[in-house]
Each structure stands twice: as structure tokens, then as C-alpha cells.
Amino acid sequence: MSKVQFGISNVYLFTRTVGANNAVTYSSPVHLPGSVSLTLEPQAEDNIFYADNIKYWVSNTMQGYEVELEVASIPDAIKTAFLGYATATNDNLVETNATGGTFGMVFQFETDTESRRCQLFNCTMSRPDEEHNTQEESTDPDTQSLTISVAGDTVGTVVCFKSEIHKDDANYATAFTAMALPVFSSGS
């Protein structure tokens, strides 16, 4: 059992496709190098009903995650595949009014006992703010932050937002090359 977790690396994005009968598949990955930090904030709401002068009934409604991913720089391949950019005939990268579509995301983090991989399902990405600063005596790199919404995919009657993959799990070795929805036993 792990006591602490740290680090972020190996971020990959997989284009998400919805086919016949709403079957979801994820295509070949695009690597997003230069991960600096990642924050997952649950989008949940507590519903509280009071009766008999107490909290009589409490439920929690999970609506996914809001992710803040800070990277060294966003590669052109990510901009064209997931942010709606296009390449003009003169090879200029052009920001357009197109949307980038949905995707899945995989990343790795470390614990004191193992490396773990995490999958996020049915994501959309907002265009990042840009900041460029003058160079002073020392060079401090500027970073870019991406805001990602995780809506989740439905598997049977379960909405799946995130999957954590341990080193002994069957899909650990292929997590960066193939992304698939979880499969549950018939009792789930």
C-alpha cells in the first residue's frame, strides 16, 4: 500500500469516436510532452435534506472533473488534433473557430511503491491563455495551462470518469498505446 504520491509524466491523448449504438472507441495516442503539474478537481455537489432537526438524507452527485494541466509548451500536433487549429498551405499554424472534439487522456504518476497510470474518459479541452515574458538576467521558461473537462463515458449503467491502473493490472503495459473503456462483471 502506498503512503505518498508525486510527479506527473507520460501524458497521452486519444481521439474519442462514438459509433453505431453509441459504442465508444479511442484511437492511436498523441504524446503531450513536458508535463509540469496536473490538478484534478471533482465536479460534485452534496444534496442535503433536513428533517427532525438533522441531516436526514445526504447524497453526492458526481458530474466529472475539471483538470488543470500545466505543460512546458503545447505541440502543434495537439493543437491541430484537439484544439481546432489548422495548417494553411504555406505551413502556418492557424487558430480557427473549429472545435477540437472529445478525447481520452492517460498520464503516469509515482507513488513510494510503484508507478501508476490514470485514464480520463470523454474529455474536452479549452484553448489556453498565452503569456510571453521578457528575458532578464536568467531565463525562466513560460508554461502553458490547459483546462480539460472530464464528462465520463457510460458503461452499462455506470458512468466512468477515471480509471487508475496499477503495475500488476492487465492493461498496465499497454496504457500509453491503447485506451479502452473498463469492463465490469455482470454483478456491477
Side-chain angles (χ1 to χ4, degrees), residues 7 11 30 33-34 49 56 82 92 100 139 150 164 169 181:
V11 175
V30 179
F49 175 74
Y56 193 77
F82 303 104
N92 289 174
T139 302
V150 180
E164 229 174 83
D169 294 347
L181 293 174

Side-chain angles (χ1 to χ4, degrees), residues 11-14 26 38 67 69 103-107 118-121 123 148 179:
V11 175
Y12 287 86
L13 306 182
F14 295 75
Y26 288 94
L38 181 135
V67 178
L69 175 61
F103 60 93
M105 184 169 116
V106 177
F107 63 91
C118 186
Q119 296 177 321
L120 303 176
F121 302 102
C123 304
I148 299 168
M179 184 170 175

Side-chain angles (χ1 to χ4, degrees), residues 15-17 61 64 119 137 151 163 167 172 178:
T15 300
R16 178 178 176 271
T17 304
T61 305
Q119 296 177 321
E137 291 85 25
S163 174
K167 67 180 177 182
Y172 183 83

Side-chain angles (χ1 to χ4, degrees), residues 123-139:
C123 304
T124 55
M125 187 182 311
S126 299
R127 295 184 187 190
D129 292 336
E130 290 190 34
E131 182 177 340
H132 306 280
N133 295 293
T134 191
Q135 184 175 344
E136 299 173 359
E137 291 85 25
S138 63
T139 302

Side-chain angles (χ1 to χ4, degrees), residues 71-98:
V71 296
S73 181
I74 303 168
D76 291 351
I78 297 294
K79 289 178 181 179
T80 56
F82 303 104
L83 287 171
Y85 282 65
T87 304
T89 57
N90 64 356
D91 293 329
N92 289 174
L93 188 63
V94 180
E95 185 172 5
T96 71
N97 64 345

Side-chain angles (χ1 to χ4, degrees), residues 143-162:
T143 59
Q144 293 183 290
S145 292
L146 295 165
T147 301
I148 299 168
S149 294
V150 180
D153 278 317
T154 302
V155 178
T157 59
V158 178
V159 178
C160 302
F161 301 104
K162 179 176 85 163

